[in-house]
Amino acid sequence: MIYADYNGSAPLCDEVINYLKERYEKRFFANPNAIHFMGQQILMTMENSRATLAKLLGTKPKNLILNSGATEGISQIFHSLCYKRENLQRNTILISGIEHSAILNNADYWAKNENLEIITVETLTDGVVNLAQLTSIIEEKKDSLLMVAVMAANNETGIIQPYKEIASLCQKSNIPYLCDTTQLIGKVPFNFDDSGIDFAVTSGHKFGAQTGTGIILSKNPSLLKPFVIGGGQEKGLRGGTQNYIGFETMAVALSTFQEKWKKAEALKEKRAQFENRIKSEYPQAVIIGENSPRMATTTYIAFPGVLGQAVQIELESLGIYVTTSSACSDNEASTSNVLKSMGVTDDIGRGVVRISLGLCSQVEDYDAIGDALIKAYQKLSKIKIAN
Ligand code: PLP
């Protein structure tokens, strides 16, 4: 079996599994908000995890709000910036068309409820947002922009966006910048303080920690408003008893990054071999964003006229698990919003499969995936899509 859907959700990494086995054996549980000894020990362990995460992400522990994941983080940031905003002149949200649905739907929700305008910056055909256009929008609209939301790495294509340049533009014009770093953190080196980003979010399950865990990174947490209101946890910014074991697993998983990152070059080389092999066998195959800066472990590939879902089924019959686009739109044989934004036509857009491995995957996985994909294309290229 080869699991090639790490961008959807990564398996728990070995270090986390070992940590949890020991952790549960110790029966070390209590409410971190209790003032008895056990509670205080748990609190200390949780705060150590926060400190570890902060150090690994290049910031201070006070800038981390631990939560259930990126969707919650994104929702809290939108809520904080859009709900009953003080400066009514700032009524425009600038986003890109390749954002995850959590950003797109929050922008839509707040646009409807607070009477805001959304401007979408264009994405170039190489999958990178048009920085020149973004620069002129910011210049022209700087007094009315309430926030900018452009992601760091795309979940479908793996293409890395110029987030540091965007942060610098936002900083100059004093506009809060929310950068969705869910796909970047744990896969590519990242330093929050150096990035200049105001708000970043991530989910633990994307980098080998437990599901239901996540982080908001905030340059200035006082700009945040509570979204989940309860007993004052997370300095009043997120109520409810903390998922402390989950948070510990994020620290364990992210601590393994430096070691795993050493394998990135080897994975990149093997991915290039794999992609070249497919293209030499099938010159009509299209690799989305082939020449753009991409994460080392993602290939988004189509054979024009062959449905992605059919390819997915063929690969699955050989024990290889991929997706056709983002998990949420898996059941629709339609071109994704991300690909539409890049100007990809339907014959390619309906044919893509996303192969996403992790830094701990075996480089040899690409050989097996290559064999299976060639077999699938051989069979399916004779079958045409009915329009
Ligand atoms: N942002 C990006 C780029 C993602 O890939 C995802 C998950 O697929 C999310 C946000 C939402 O993450 P979660 O479902 O863990 O809240």
Side-chain angles (χ1 to χ4, degrees), residues 151-207:
M151 67 194 342
N154 186 265
N155 40 306
E156 290 183 31
T157 62
I159 295 171
I160 297 173
Q161 303 299 319
Y163 64 90
K164 285 189 193 164
E165 288 84 344
I166 299 171
S168 158
L169 289 168
C170 290
Q171 229 165 358
K172 276 184 210 138
S173 297
N174 211 13
I175 303 159
Y177 175 34
L178 160 58
C179 183
D180 180 354
T181 49
T182 309
Q183 292 292 341
L184 192 87
I185 286 178
K187 295 179 188 160
V188 178
F190 174 71
N191 184 300
F192 180 68
D193 285 353
D194 288 352
S195 73
I197 295 167
D198 292 284
F199 300 103
V201 292
T202 193
S203 287
H205 73 103
K206 303 287 188 190
F207 57 83

Side-chain angles (χ1 to χ4, degrees), residues 112-172:
K112 281 194 192 93
N113 283 278
E114 294 285 330
N115 214 7
L116 305 172
E117 190 195 340
I118 300 174
I119 297 181
T120 305
V121 64
E122 151 189 290
T123 305
L124 300 171
T125 51
D126 63 2
V128 180
V129 294
N130 184 340
L131 197 58
Q133 192 195 45
L134 190 130
T135 308
S136 59
I137 297 171
I138 290 182
E139 185 50 39
E140 190 192 324
K141 300 260 178 190
K142 59 173 171 268
D143 295 331
S144 62
L145 281 173
L146 176 57
M147 64 185 288
V148 171
V150 177
M151 67 194 342
N154 186 265
N155 40 306
E156 290 183 31
T157 62
I159 295 171
I160 297 173
Q161 303 299 319
Y163 64 90
K164 285 189 193 164
E165 288 84 344
I166 299 171
S168 158
L169 289 168
C170 290
Q171 229 165 358
K172 276 184 210 138

Side-chain angles (χ1 to χ4, degrees), residues 197-234:
I197 295 167
D198 292 284
F199 300 103
V201 292
T202 193
S203 287
H205 73 103
K206 303 287 188 190
F207 57 83
Q210 285 184 322
T211 46
T213 62
I215 311 171
I216 292 180
L217 292 148
S218 172
K219 209 192 268 178
N220 181 1
S222 71
L223 294 177
L224 289 169
K225 293 177 191 156
F227 187 61
V228 179
I229 296 164
Q233 292 88 350
E234 296 294 301

